[in-house]
Structures are given as structure tokens and as C-alpha cells.
Amino acid sequence: ITRGMKDFDLALDENFGAELVNPRVVPLYESTGFLDKRHDYGGWCIEQDAGRVVGLLAGHTYFAYQNAYYLQIFRNAAYWAMKRDIPRG
């Protein structure tokens, strides 16, 4: 989902993070809060039985959805969850 992507910054927002407790969960990206400097996993995925699940925690404002890099993660995650080839480029 995030293979080959560069690091990027999002506009100001709260830093939401996930506590990954299942050893089969794959972290997708990490985030650090601008104000609180808290470092968290901001995205994850897991394949279990016949299903795939992706969690993306971009915050609660619209800024992430104006960022081309975040939208690429979002699109790639949808393809991956549907078990379709992720378009490159």
C-alpha cells in the first residue's frame, strides 16, 4: 500500500494513532503530532482469513484529503482491500 512512497507532511491537525496489538498487523505509516510531538502509527492493515482491513487515521479535518500523497495511500488501500492490483504511478 505504501511501498515506494516518500515521507510527507500533512497540514495541521490532531495526531491520532493506533496501538497495534495483533502481531499480524502491518504498520503502513507513522505520524508525529505538530503540537504535542506524540509519535504514533497512523495507518495499518491486516489480512485475515478471506478478508482484508485497512485503518487510516488522518485526523478529523479535511486537510489530509487535499494532500496528493495521502490520497495515494487511500486509493492504494482500497485496491489492496478489494484484492486488486494496485496501479503504480
Side-chain angles (χ1 to χ4, degrees):
I1 296 170
T2 56
R3 182 180 300 142
M5 292 189 69
K6 299 177 187 177
D7 289 346
F8 64 94
D9 292 319
L10 292 176
L12 296 177
D13 197 355
E14 285 186 83
N15 186 38
F16 293 127
E19 181 181 350
L20 307 180
V21 296
N22 185 326
R24 296 182 56 215
V25 168
V26 176
L28 294 176
Y29 66 88
E30 298 176 18
S31 63
T32 302
F34 180 75
L35 296 175
D36 64 6
K37 306 297 183 205
R38 194 180 77 222
H39 189 79
D40 289 304
Y41 290 112
W44 54 270
C45 65
I46 187 170
E47 186 166 10
Q48 188 164 329
D49 301 324
R52 289 180 169 179
V53 176
V54 179
L56 302 174
L57 305 171
H60 65 276
T61 62
Y62 62 90
F63 298 117
Y65 304 99
Q66 294 179 332
N67 183 291
Y69 293 107
Y70 188 77
L71 290 175
Q72 182 179 350
I73 292 173
F74 199 85
R75 185 197 74 209
N76 291 355
Y79 277 97
W80 181 84
M82 293 185 295
K83 298 185 179 181
R84 295 179 58 191
D85 291 337
I86 298 173
R88 296 293 172 202

